Amino acid sequence: MVLQAVGLAHSFGERRALAGLDLTIQPGVLTGLLGPNGAGKTTLMRAMLGVIQPDAGHILLDGRPVTFADRQRWGYMPQERGLYPRMPAAEQLAYMARLHGLDRRSAQRRARALLDELGLADRWSERTEKLSGGMQQRLQLGAALVHDPDVIVLDEPFAGLDPVAVAELSVALRERVGAGRTVVFSSHQLDLVQDLCEDIVMIDHGRTVLAGRVDRLRSSTGRRHLRLGVAPGAPRDWLTAFPEVHVVDDQVDALRLDLPAEVDPLAVLDAARAAGPVTDFGLDLPTLSQLFLGALGQDSSDASGAPDGGLDGSAA
Amino acid sequence: MNTTHWSGVRLVAGRTITEGLASRSWRIMTALMLLAGLAVVVVPRLVGDDATSYTLARVGDAPDALLSQLQATATAGEFELTVVAVPDVEAARAAVRDGDADAALTDEGPSGRLYVAAQQVGTFPVLVSQAVVSLTLTERLVAAGLSPDEVEAIRATPPPEQVPVGRVADEGRAGVGFAVGIVLYLALILAGTTVASAVATEKSTRISEVLLAVLRPRQLLVGTVLGVGALALGQIAALVVPAMVGVVTSDALDLPAAAATDVLLGVVWFAAGLLLYAFVFAALGALVDKPTDVGSATLPANAVLIGSYLLAVTVTVANPNSWASVAASLFPLSAPLVMPVRWASGLVPGWQLALALVLTVAASVWLARFAAQIYARGLARSGRRVSLREVLPGWTDRS
Ligand SMILES: Nc1ncnc2c1ncn2[C@@H]1O[C@H](COP(=O)(O)OP(=O)(O)OP(=O)(O)O)[C@@H](O)[C@H]1O
Ligand SMILES: [Mg+2]
């Protein structure tokens, strides 16, 4: 099912959280939602799920306005986790499944199956408050997936997970996407999003600033990064011949250069070799974090060294 | 609404009840209520009720006619009479002074003497005197030449009918009304606070965020209110049922039959009051950010409850039919506390009771809709204390 937001606007008092936001999320494609802190990601998701009523705009499902019954078939994992602390893990999932319309027996069956999948099978009767933070997070994810939803909306599902859990969750999401579900999640781990997602939507100040296929977005700028391994302490003065080239990263024995479309990488490489030995080299497309910073109106070449806006994983 | 609406409400209510039953505080409260209910039955028996049996000490021969007359009075007045013979006046005085007898009758003087305790209260001495006077009167009438039939006709003269006016028709029943008032007040405060904390806890633990993605706010609200309401009714039942069973199956408590209806009516009013107030408390609970703020957030509702209760136990008990009492017993917010107290005075026309119930239920329905909107808006604004102003329906906070 195609999930769409059209002209979504919402304010909290004086503060505009969403300012006429449009986006489209395709089924069968994993979509990452990016944006700096306060961009409006959480507000967008809450509006999509009907937790808050937006001041203006619509949520469409396959082109028609979404109904309450449609949302019965959705799954949502909020950024601020919410579970009944004293409820046993399996009961928690079964309760959520029943709220989504499953009968008692299938709710219990699904709850057990999902606990298995989430690696919590041995904790099914344990009170939620006795689980570790990461386990509770997995349980929260389970609450969003237990009824096998058509549309899955996850707000920062990867935050706080260990690398093994990250890999497991990635597999779980890819499985759902492979089964044709509509899946969108928000994250600040841009490397992860770059590896995992086909599509991204980037928002800032309540508006969509960048959206589309990750690979196309990366190649569409025409910019590339030239990676050079040089002798320690080699001179850098040859760079003055290329005023359009920006130094992204400068270490004792390595250089990372940002090349606009019109600069020939081979010419830069030749100049470097003329100045001294080059031990290693490579040409990369700009990373998602550079696109991210670029889309936020900052020059990607001079902001990449010190990422701000609370990004993690932005170092190239 | 469709079936999914009610199945959602049922699930929420069921979960609320399950959690409540498992919680220690509910169990303790219910056990206390049960103990209180049993105490109402057991304690009066332990203390003993001396008002239901009297002992009359007697010097010399009292005529059989006097004894049978007193015995008849005892049967009619539902008390037991024991007559003991004492040798002389001195012994009679001692028996009364030491509490062995409630009164002592001697044949001193022309018409005998009745010794009573200095602080004697109650009607027993009056009854004995009346019996003596009545008997003497009969003897004199016969002596004056009247036939036994004529004497009987004279004695059958009916006393003037007693009509209670003013304060209350029945003191015992008014006492029941007073008790019902206290229990109602405490139960409503307790249930209201429970609803508000349940809502505030769900909000602060962000569970409401997950729930609102699958439930309508009204389903969540109604389900929580019904769940907490059922738990509260269970507690009230723990208090009332043993007490009622005790009162009905024994006559240890000397209560008029109407008192039983008054108590049942109290339960009905509790349900109505709960319905009315629970929604208000839930809406107020949705405004807080931390469960510890529930007390201050629910202050307005508590104030109205306290005000109504004070009105009931002062103005209404003192004068059940003053215009203030009538008005307060009909006005929906105060009716659940004032009407049961007023009703127990026995002076309330049935139509006023019906009107008060209808008004209260109608007000609950209206208030529930209003509260549902405040509740939904309150839940959506997490992270800080929400002011009532910004969530009032029809109020735009961008001004
Ligand atoms: N409950 C609320 N009350 C008032 N303002 C809010 C509330 N929720 C969000 N906002 C404001 O709306 C804006 C968008 O917030 P939102 O939580 O949607 O951002 P986000 O993109 O999810 O940020 P983050 O990456 O930090 O999670 C922010 O300016 C925030 O201050
Ligand atoms: Mg967020």
Side-chain angles (χ1 to χ4, degrees), chain A residues 192-268:
Chain A
L192 181 78
V193 172
Q194 178 174 318
D195 292 344
L196 194 59
C197 296
E198 288 94 2
D199 270 12
I200 57 147
V201 175
M202 196 177 289
I203 68 173
D204 190 25
H205 293 109
R207 280 203 180 80
T208 303
V209 291
L210 199 66
R213 287 281 135 122
V214 175
D215 47 8
R216 260 180 249 154
L217 288 173
R218 288 178 70 195
S219 56
S220 65
T221 59
R223 300 185 88 95
R224 290 132 305 160
H225 276 195
L226 180 61
R227 185 162 45 75
L228 292 175
V230 295
R236 308 283 197 255
D237 48 3
W238 56 271
L239 275 171
T240 50
F242 303 96
E244 319 85 337
V245 171
H246 293 275
V247 180
V248 176
D249 192 19
D250 189 349
Q251 291 169 8
V252 187
D253 59 350
L255 269 176
R256 181 172 276 272
L257 306 174
D258 178 53
L259 312 185
E262 65 274 15
V263 174
D264 180 5
L266 290 179
V268 181

Side-chain angles (χ1 to χ4, degrees), chain A residues 1-162:
Chain A
M1 294 185 177
V2 182
L3 177 60
Q4 255 178 302
V6 183
L8 221 51
H10 191 77
S11 300
F12 294 99
E14 296 288 300
R15 184 167 288 133
R16 260 166 103 75
L18 298 176
L21 183 143
D22 302 299
L23 61 72
T24 304
I25 294 160
Q26 300 288 348
V29 170
L30 194 49
T31 305
L33 181 65
L34 311 178
N37 292 136
K41 302 181 294 297
T42 298
T43 309
L44 166 66
M45 290 184 168
R46 297 175 86 204
M48 289 201 291
L49 268 293
V51 176
I52 56 171
Q53 298 302 317
D55 299 339
H58 308 278
I59 308 294
L60 306 178
L61 194 64
D62 285 341
R64 57 175 177 76
V66 64
T67 65
F68 182 75
D70 290 330
R71 287 189 176 123
Q72 289 279 119
R73 306 274 317 124
W74 292 17
Y76 173 47
M77 176 179 181
Q79 179 173 12
E80 298 201 66
R81 317 302 185 209
L83 296 167
Y84 290 103
R86 307 217 276 180
M87 218 188 240
E91 227 172 90
Q92 194 103 234
L93 295 189
Y95 179 60
M96 288 311 298
R98 296 210 62 198
L99 286 182
H100 281 99
L102 269 66
D103 62 72
R104 185 189 301 269
R105 185 169 304 171
S106 31
Q108 268 159 4
R109 188 165 34 77
R110 289 280 311 149
R112 290 296 190 94
L114 205 62
L115 284 178
D116 267 343
E117 185 183 343
L118 297 171
L120 293 172
D122 54 331
R123 302 294 193 116
W124 65 274
S125 64
E126 193 131 6
R127 276 203 206 169
T128 302
E129 62 192 354
K130 292 190 180 166
L131 301 178
S132 79
M135 289 179 187
Q136 291 189 25
Q137 173 138 348
R138 283 190 247 171
L139 193 60
Q140 186 86 60
L141 181 76
L145 299 179
V146 68
H147 53 293
D148 191 17
D150 298 332
V151 174
I152 300 168
V153 179
L154 310 172
D155 204 350
E156 304 201 12
F158 289 100
L161 291 187
D162 69 39

Side-chain angles (χ1 to χ4, degrees), chain A residues 11-14 42 46 49-52 55 68-69 71-72 76 78-87 91-92 95-96 98-100 140 143, chain B residues 4 8 11-13 15 18-19 22-24 202 205-216 219-220 376 379-382 384 397-399:
Chain A
S11 300
F12 294 99
E14 296 288 300
T42 298
R46 297 175 86 204
L49 268 293
V51 176
I52 56 171
D55 299 339
F68 182 75
R71 287 189 176 123
Q72 289 279 119
Y76 173 47
Q79 179 173 12
E80 298 201 66
R81 317 302 185 209
L83 296 167
Y84 290 103
R86 307 217 276 180
M87 218 188 240
E91 227 172 90
Q92 194 103 234
Y95 179 60
M96 288 311 298
R98 296 210 62 198
L99 286 182
H100 281 99
Q140 186 86 60
Chain B
T4 52
L11 281 167
V12 172
R15 197 211 63 80
T18 312
E19 186 181 284
S23 84
R24 184 175 298 178
E202 278 193 352
T205 52
R206 314 291 185 216
I207 294 162
S208 51
E209 179 93 7
V210 188
L211 297 180
L212 286 181
V214 57
L215 293 169
R216 288 196 173 89
Q219 289 177 297
L220 195 50
L379 284 192
R381 289 164 168 74
S382 53
R384 73 207 153 85
D397 47 16
R398 273 172 304 287
S399 52

Side-chain angles (χ1 to χ4, degrees), chain B residues 39-77:
Chain B
V40 169
V41 185
V42 175
V43 170
R45 278 196 210 180
L46 294 182
V47 172
D49 198 356
D50 49 8
T52 55
S53 75
Y54 294 112
T55 306
L56 179 68
R58 181 169 63 85
V59 181
D61 290 328
D64 285 346
L66 176 64
L67 287 185
S68 60
Q69 168 127 20
L70 273 175
Q71 213 66 61
T73 317
T75 315

